[in-house]
Each structure stands twice: as C-alpha cells, then as structure tokens.
Amino acid sequence: MRGPIGAALLAISLATPGLAQNRFPSIPPEQMTPEQRALAAAIQSGPRAAVPGRDNSIGGPFNVWLRSPGVGDRLQALGSELRFRTSLPQALNEFAILITAREWSSQYEWFAHHRLALAAGLPASIAADLAEGRRPEGMNDDQRVIYDFCIELHRTRFVSDAHCAAVKQRFGEQGVVDLIAVSGYYVAVAMTLNTARVGLPDGVAPPLPELRR
C-alpha cells in the first residue's frame, strides 16, 4: 500500500508492540538442525564476539536467516567482511549503514548501529539530522562524499560521475566497491528486519520518526 495511509500503517506496525511481533520466533538451540547450529556458532564467534556491549545472542536478522542456513551463512560472512575488513574508515562505514537504515526506516538497524557509529567517531549531530531526514549540517569533506554517494544511489538507483569520482579520489576503487557493497548488504538486512518485524528491546522507543516524502 502506497501513500499516506500505507506510510501510517508502516509506522504503526513498527511502533506498536501488538502489531510488531516478530514473525520468526527464536529457535531454541536444542531444536536447531546441525546446519543451524553451525550457523549460530559462526555468528557468535569471530570479530562480532569482540564488539563492546554485544550480548552474543542470535537476534536481529540472524535469527531470521537461521531458516535458510546456507544463505544465512553466506550473508553473515559477507557482513563480517564489510564491517570488520572494509577499506573505509569505521565511522564512515557506520555512517553509510545509518543512511541505509534511514532510507529503509529500519528501526532495529538504526538502533543496532547508532551507538557503533558514535563510538567510531561519527558526530551525534550528524546522526540526529540524518534521523530526521535532513541533510546533516557540519559534515566534513569525507562525510559529505559518503553521504552524497549513498543518498544518490539509494534514491535514484544510479551514481553521477561527480559523486563516483569523489569517492574514488578519496578512497580508491576498492572504497567505491566497499561502499556499494555495505549499502547493498544493509538493504538486505533492512528488508529482513522489516519483513520479519524484528522488534526493539523492551523499553526502547523507535528511534526514527516517520518521514513525509
């Protein structure tokens, strides 16, 4: 459903506990198949396990991906590559993730990565402007390059010569590929979270306001 009514229903489903119940309940370890257990172990190990504040549970998109462990394993491996071995500075990589979360109004994705972005050095004021759907004020040159590239890619499905050249000049050809990949991967994450109606932790209010476009 499109238009104001569809947007309103989406906002209600994301904000109302009764309508935002997860469509994919957690799978107890004893009920997992061998393939699911292997995927769970892969998710709980490696660089993700060292992220400060992580509770190491199988939540977010990972619980959903357990339903297709072959796909889930490849997705989690790609996510690990894009988060922990990207050529982009961590703060800018997280900025790109937040841009994706805002474009998809993915409340859980924003919730999960906002603190990581701030811890990596992204100014809180930039994240706040982005959450409100505004072009952030006070961006430095690197932040502006990332923002312009990602917003144009998300909204027009193309990237202009100027914006592509700006990323290439600053971060090289690998930086261009890594920025495309992290944006696309977190679109898939947002799709998973929004489709599954993965809820926020108890007591956490939806961090993203509804946008009128």
Side-chain angles (χ1 to χ4, degrees), residues 6-31:
L9 289 175
L10 174 60
I12 292 170
S13 70
L14 292 173
T16 305
L19 294 178
Q21 292 179 350
N22 197 327
R23 288 169 165 162
F24 297 88
S26 297
I27 303 174
E30 64 274 13
Q31 295 181 14

Side-chain angles (χ1 to χ4, degrees), residues 124-197:
S125 61
I126 288 179
D129 281 345
L130 182 62
E132 295 290 338
R134 298 188 295 264
R135 179 182 178 86
E137 296 183 0
M139 289 188 291
N140 62 29
D141 290 343
D142 287 350
Q143 292 158 355
R144 185 165 53 252
V145 163
I146 296 296
Y147 179 85
D148 288 341
F149 184 103
C150 291
I151 287 293
E152 186 175 44
L153 180 58
H154 282 299
R155 295 183 182 177
T156 74
R157 311 299 187 255
F158 294 93
V159 176
S160 66
D161 288 344
H163 290 155
C164 186
V167 174
K168 186 186 297 185
Q169 180 178 13
R170 179 64 185 86
F171 303 106
E173 291 184 339
Q174 182 178 352
V176 176
V177 174
D178 287 354
L179 187 55
I180 294 168
V182 75
S183 299
Y185 173 78
Y186 278 94
V187 167
V189 172
M191 286 179 169
T192 301
L193 295 167
N194 288 359
T195 299
R197 294 180 178 171

Side-chain angles (χ1 to χ4, degrees), residues 4-152:
I5 295 177
L9 289 175
L10 174 60
I12 292 170
S13 70
L14 292 173
T16 305
L19 294 178
Q21 292 179 350
N22 197 327
R23 288 169 165 162
F24 297 88
S26 297
I27 303 174
E30 64 274 13
Q31 295 181 14
M32 291 183 185
T33 67
E35 291 80 9
Q36 289 172 330
R37 285 195 292 271
L39 174 55
I43 292 167
Q44 292 174 317
S45 62
R48 288 191 186 92
V51 175
R54 177 176 171 80
D55 64 8
N56 214 30
S57 62
I58 306 297
F62 302 120
N63 172 60
V64 184
W65 293 345
L66 284 173
R67 274 67 183 183
S68 183
V71 171
D73 185 55
R74 285 154 181 80
L75 285 170
Q76 69 83 19
L78 176 58
S80 181
E81 178 73 20
L82 292 171
R83 282 188 61 195
F84 302 108
R85 287 180 288 275
T86 178
S87 65
L88 298 171
Q90 186 179 4
L92 297 178
N93 201 50
E94 291 292 338
F95 187 30
I97 295 170
L98 291 186
I99 292 169
T100 305
R102 175 64 280 186
E103 289 298 297
W104 278 82
S105 293
S106 181
Q107 301 284 2
Y108 190 98
E109 188 166 85
W110 182 279
F111 161 77
H113 285 273
H114 179 258
R115 66 177 181 84
L116 299 176
L118 299 191
L122 185 73
S125 61
I126 288 179
D129 281 345
L130 182 62
E132 295 290 338
R134 298 188 295 264
R135 179 182 178 86
E137 296 183 0
M139 289 188 291
N140 62 29
D141 290 343
D142 287 350
Q143 292 158 355
R144 185 165 53 252
V145 163
I146 296 296
Y147 179 85
D148 288 341
F149 184 103
C150 291
I151 287 293
E152 186 175 44

